[in-house]
Amino acid sequence: MTTPDLVRLGRRTLLGAVAGAGAGLALTACGGTSGPPQAGPATGKGGAEGYDGPNVELQYWNGLTGGDGPVMKKLAQKFMDAHPKIKVTTTSIAWADLFQKLPAAVQSGRAPDVCLMHTADIATNAARRVVQPIDDVVAGAKLSADDYAELVWKATFYQDKQYAIPLDIHPAGLYYNKKVLTQVGADPTKPPTTKDEFLAVLDKCKSKGVKGYWVSALSVGGLVAQSMIFQNGGYMISDDGAKTGFGDQPAIDSITFFKSLIDKDYSPKNAAGDGDWVSFSNSKAAFMINGPWMVTPCKQAKGLDWGCAPIPVLGSKEQTWAGSHCFTLPRQTNQDKNKATAARVFVNWMSQNSVGWAEAGMVPARKSVRESAEFAQYTEVKQFEKMIDWAHFPPNVPGAGDTDPEWTKAISLAVTGKKPIDQALKDAAQKGDQILAANQKKYGG
């Protein structure tokens, strides 16, 4: 099973990375301690002309500690086979730890040459001068917005400068267990597309003594509840970073709906944080809502007869939570020009060859790669590709994730019935808004 990567509450583990991303380590933003001075520009055209210098070794950090890690290492090996002068040492660090270590590494002059992060992390790390603009790679590789979904391309910018190259898009979708659907008398070839259809199958499950969809207070507030919030026109953080949507009606309606699944006995009470996966993989539940990173674990699960599809419209319009892994270049105190050029060659090559990343269940960010014959073979991943235009990313707001603990706490109180839903969420919104106000002063917003 893929280890959680903590992308803005996207996977099961809801705390950790955001604390690191917002923590006051060595670097702060405007008005505070600045990052290291940037060395001279790299030679070459952003990696587009290749590398012909002396042998170099690049340090590449990412948070891929689960099943996606080996896939990334396989891609890095293919790059090295094609570029014998460039050795890439890949270090996978849990996302929570990575975003604590990276700022300190930059400040001390021991930054990696390349770092993978999420669109949700770009604004914070750009504001704190942890990463450098990557415009030369974009220009050298002749990348343009036309080859990317508009949302993912825009998410790589902060204050009109581009800081990352998108590798993938990973929206939340629906997984369905064909064995369970057949068992309860539902059509295993027609996954639900609407709220009514979803509930109709859960009714069939309930009539057969099956808990059709497991809801956990520990994880439902992530991509599951947020997808419904976005479908109803809500948001988690406003685009200007001034307000949370925690206490707004779309959030209240979403949590009310998922709590009702427990109250109406569609889900067991007190399900574990990974109860959706455990029940689904053991054919004890009909559905799981999760990201495309679960494609590989599903394929590896013995005896699991499953399918995947776009997330049902539980609200009023087609929207879904989504994230994206992106390549960034950390700032260097003493930039070695050969390494700088080699790092850009690596990022450029990985972008061009990102179809191999679909083995990890991810949808390539580039349209030209998605339209290739090679990508056509990834039939399950292509189900998630259908939702690219539905994708809803977090706003490019420094420190936005600092509010996540308040949201997580409120969800636990609300879903377990320890506090009325509207009160729990409005209390979290009040605290979240205070955090955002402090961050706007901290980051010069």
Side-chain angles (χ1 to χ4, degrees), residues 10 13 23 30 45 48 53 77 79 104 121 129 133 142 173 181 256 259 281 286 288 358 405:
T13 306
C30 302
K45 294 186 177 181
Q77 184 59 56
F79 168 80
D121 307 307
R129 294 177 55 81
K142 297 181 179 179
L181 292 179
T256 298
K259 185 179 185 300
S281 61
M288 173 178 69

Side-chain angles (χ1 to χ4, degrees), residues 176-179 181-182 185-193 201 287 305-309 383:
Y176 54 97
N177 189 304
K178 297 180 181 180
K179 178 180 178 180
L181 292 179
T182 301
D187 191 337
T189 67
K190 295 182 178 180
T193 60
V201 176
F287 301 123
D305 188 9
W306 64 285
C308 54
Q383 291 294 321

Side-chain angles (χ1 to χ4, degrees), residues 25-38:
L25 298 176
L27 304 176
T28 56
C30 302
T33 304
S34 65
Q38 181 62 32

Side-chain angles (χ1 to χ4, degrees), residues 280-308:
F280 182 84
S281 61
N282 288 295
S283 296
K284 301 296 184 183
F287 301 123
M288 173 178 69
I289 296 175
N290 219 313
W293 52 81
M294 296 306 296
V295 166
T296 299
C298 283
K299 287 183 174 180
Q300 294 172 343
K302 293 182 179 180
L304 181 61
D305 188 9
W306 64 285
C308 54

Side-chain angles (χ1 to χ4, degrees), residues 159-242:
Q159 294 186 343
D160 299 323
K161 291 184 179 180
Q162 192 163 6
Y163 284 87
I165 302 297
L167 175 63
D168 63 44
I169 301 174
H170 41 261
L174 179 73
Y175 292 81
Y176 54 97
N177 189 304
K178 297 180 181 180
K179 178 180 178 180
V180 174
L181 292 179
T182 301
Q183 175 187 336
V184 302
D187 191 337
T189 67
K190 295 182 178 180
T193 60
T194 67
K195 182 179 180 179
D196 288 344
E197 291 175 358
F198 184 71
L199 290 173
V201 176
L202 294 188
D203 279 331
K204 289 180 180 292
C205 290
K206 184 177 177 180
S207 70
K208 299 292 185 179
V210 175
K211 308 294 186 183
Y213 177 69
W214 288 36
V215 175
S216 172
L218 300 175
S219 58
V220 71
L223 57 80
V224 177
Q226 290 183 39
S227 291
M228 187 174 179
I229 290 171
F230 302 148
Q231 289 179 0
N232 281 326
Y235 57 86
M236 296 299 289
I237 304 290
S238 61
D239 288 342
D240 62 2

Side-chain angles (χ1 to χ4, degrees), residues 59-63 73 89-93 98:
Q59 298 297 323
Y60 168 37
W61 287 11
N62 61 56
K73 288 184 178 180
T89 297
T90 302
T91 302
S92 295
I93 308 169
L98 187 151

Side-chain angles (χ1 to χ4, degrees), residues 36-39 106 109-113 132 329-335:
Q38 181 62 32
V106 169
R110 297 192 296 271
D113 302 286
Q132 58 182 292
L329 300 177
R331 289 184 178 270
Q332 307 290 333
T333 50
N334 295 296
Q335 180 69 76

